[in-house]
Amino acid sequence: MARKKKTRAIVQEFDAYFGAGSLDDWQRLCRDVGLDGDYSSIAQCRKASIPPTSYGLRTVHVNIHDLLDAVKQGRRPQRFRNAAELAAYTVNNGKIYPKKHAKEMGPVKALMRRIL
């Protein structure tokens, strides 16, 4: 039961953080994960990456739980070099965002990685 509560809380927290999914929301997400740039459309935000590639936010490896904590503290979240490092950290710390709550083409979907 505690696990379901924790899952529900993180989903609600991300939904509250991201809002309705406006351009401002996408721009804030890019800034919060460390993608500095002038993105004038949601499509540009989705394609934003470091280093610039065609994979967009898929190149940014952050734990969603840590992202939300970092935003509350006014800092950037830890970024991992690759999905494997992120997966190990996520599993070891039990900070898994529930896959079934990742909305199609939404920001959570852009940040999700194969963990298990």
Side-chain angles (χ1 to χ4, degrees):
M1 194 64 152
R3 183 187 226 173
K4 280 187 181 183
K5 238 182 201 180
K6 185 177 178 183
T7 296
R8 192 172 325 128
I10 192 68
V11 170
Q12 289 173 342
E13 190 174 346
F14 191 87
D15 287 348
Y17 159 75
F18 193 70
S22 68
L23 175 57
D24 287 340
D25 296 327
W26 278 94
Q27 289 169 330
R28 183 182 65 252
L29 174 65
C30 286
R31 279 190 311 274
D32 289 346
V33 298
L35 297 174
D36 299 318
D38 185 24
Y39 308 111
S40 59
S41 70
I42 291 173
Q44 285 181 339
C45 291
R46 284 187 177 138
K47 293 177 185 175
S49 62
I50 294 179
T53 69
S54 61
Y55 298 110
L57 281 172
R58 301 294 297 166
T59 65
V60 177
H61 306 292
V62 297
N63 180 277
I64 294 169
H65 292 254
D66 290 352
L67 167 63
L68 296 171
D69 287 342
V71 166
K72 285 184 226 169
Q73 297 170 11
R75 59 177 180 78
R76 288 195 172 155
Q78 175 181 0
R79 288 201 336 222
F80 297 88
R81 289 183 300 192
N82 55 50
E85 282 185 6
L86 172 62
Y89 169 85
T90 299
V91 171
N92 289 338
N93 291 282
K95 294 182 175 184
I96 299 172
Y97 190 92
K99 181 180 175 181
K100 70 180 182 178
H101 291 285
K103 295 179 175 78
E104 212 47 50
M105 295 306 293
V108 169
K109 179 88 171 159
L111 294 174
M112 295 288 284
R113 303 292 178 271
R114 184 172 301 274
I115 298 297
L116 303 172

